[in-house]
Amino acid sequence: MKTNKYLIEALLFASYVLFGMSWAGGSAFIPQIMRELGLHDLAAGSHISNAVAAAKLLGTFVAAGILSRLMAKKAVALAMALMAVGALTPFVHSYPWLLLVRFLMGLGGALIIVYFAPIVMQWFEPGERPFVNGLNSVAFNVGTAAILFGLPAMLGWFRDWQTTLLAISLGSVACLGLWLVFGADGAQEKKPAADGTRHTLGQGLKERFNWLLAFTYSGTLSFYVILFSFYQNAGIQQAKFVVLAGLAGTVAGIWLARKMTRRLPLLRVSGLLQLLAVMGLHAQVWGWSDDAGLVTASALAAGFFIFLPITSLVTLAQEQAGMTPEKVAVTFSLFWFLSYLLATVSPYLFGLLVDLRHGDYGLAMAFATLLSSTFLLGSLLMRETREPAARQAAQSA
């Protein structure tokens, strides 16, 4: 049976959209889940969401090793099977078991997010990669937006939180079934390396580019997590506009990545405008302005410029000289592990700063602004080194 690369991409994209819906839905239903389990401690309830975040640290770190041993079809099947474990959530009536279910689901999501880049390299030509990279980068946002804006309609259809989460997870089960039928390994995976060795995480840690790539995105991801964890409590209700603007930014980013032959100018301009937008988002808290319109405009700009350069950032990594699907798997394993590591620690530090200032968010938001500056700083430190084939493909696209 001939494998259709577009079907492979559609299944990967759909699986991560559903993962985003399941994660965001589980977080949205924390009060109901706590009542179901008889929990009264909000800190304990927060672990329902944190279990997924913790799993992402482990999953992203081991993803490249799993991919190199199992190859794409089995590795992705494992990831999708773990995400489908979320279907057990409505049937679990024990807090420790619920955390385990959420952890396993998060582990599957972590594996998939690393596999996007090497699978795109395997199946798509250089000129096609910006579009597919952009599509993958927005998958989680699509899932989150579906929950943020569509949850009332879903509850109208399914009546309760249990059936709603079950329906989302059954979508993940369907993706797994289709992948087992239509998924495939890439041709390059079956070819051994010239010297018989594999590219390891240890080797990846020695490469300057991998550290710069992770540094560039880690602060932006941390800010994004903090935004949705704390900003509404701080009185910034416009935070939800970041999601909508992010969708528009991704579409524009895909178009620009296909038109531009150099990646770094877009990364640097976006990093600067992202930083300025984040500062505008804090204008009321810092006492700079009482204009709610400024905060709304800043939220829209922040979302747009956070997501505008992501397609080019991922494509830049794939275009590095000597890059192979195996090497890019290691690059993005480290990329996501280091990014999620900072994004896991940063919300705690943000909350600590608020507590130290007795509920004043000013200093904490200065910390969030500092985090969002890594995109600009990292892009200034990177160099534009590209494979000739990738450069020619971009010019002809």
Side-chain angles (χ1 to χ4, degrees), residues 29-107:
F29 291 131
I30 282 177
Q32 294 93 322
I33 294 173
M34 289 176 65
R35 285 196 297 270
E36 183 78 17
L37 298 178
L39 296 174
H40 304 287
D41 184 352
L42 186 59
S46 69
H47 293 319
I48 297 170
S49 180
N50 291 343
V52 182
K56 285 205 160 191
L57 285 176
L58 173 62
T60 51
F61 189 71
V62 302
I66 292 174
L67 182 63
S68 69
R69 287 167 175 78
L70 297 183
M71 297 198 297
K73 183 169 183 177
K74 291 180 180 178
V76 172
L78 173 63
M80 288 183 174
L82 289 170
M83 288 191 290
V85 169
L88 299 176
T89 301
F91 306 106
V92 173
H93 302 290
S94 163
Y95 179 64
W97 281 105
L98 176 63
L99 291 184
L100 177 61
V101 166
R102 296 285 287 174
F103 181 86
L104 292 175
M105 187 190 78
L107 192 60

Side-chain angles (χ1 to χ4, degrees), residues 246-393:
L247 298 176
T250 301
V251 172
I254 292 171
W255 184 80
L256 286 172
R258 289 171 63 89
K259 295 294 181 183
M260 300 178 70
T261 59
R262 299 176 63 209
R263 308 298 175 199
L264 291 181
L266 180 63
L267 267 59
R268 290 165 180 169
V269 171
S270 297
L272 175 61
L273 295 176
Q274 176 189 140
L275 179 59
L276 294 174
V278 169
M279 294 173 70
L281 193 62
H282 301 154
Q284 287 183 323
V285 174
W286 287 343
W288 289 358
S289 171
D290 292 327
D291 185 1
L294 172 62
V295 179
T296 300
S298 297
L300 291 169
F304 186 84
F305 289 111
I306 283 172
F307 284 89
L308 180 70
I310 301 303
T311 300
S312 292
L313 185 70
V314 175
T315 307
L316 175 68
Q318 293 169 333
E319 292 173 344
Q320 292 299 295
M323 189 62 80
T324 65
E326 185 178 49
K327 288 185 69 175
V328 87
V330 170
T331 292
F332 279 94
S333 190
L334 293 172
F335 172 84
W336 287 112
F337 171 74
L338 295 170
S339 295
Y340 276 119
L341 183 61
L342 183 60
T344 301
V345 174
S346 295
Y348 171 77
L349 296 177
F350 184 96
L352 186 62
L353 290 172
V354 174
D355 291 340
L356 290 174
R357 297 292 294 268
H358 308 289
D360 181 2
Y361 281 83
L363 181 60
M365 288 187 174
F367 170 65
T369 303
L370 180 64
L371 287 172
S372 69
S373 70
T374 64
F375 207 98
L376 174 61
L377 295 175
S379 65
L380 291 172
L381 292 171
M382 283 194 284
R383 296 189 296 270
E384 192 119 38
T385 305
R386 307 177 63 192
E387 288 280 22
R391 187 180 299 112
Q392 291 170 8

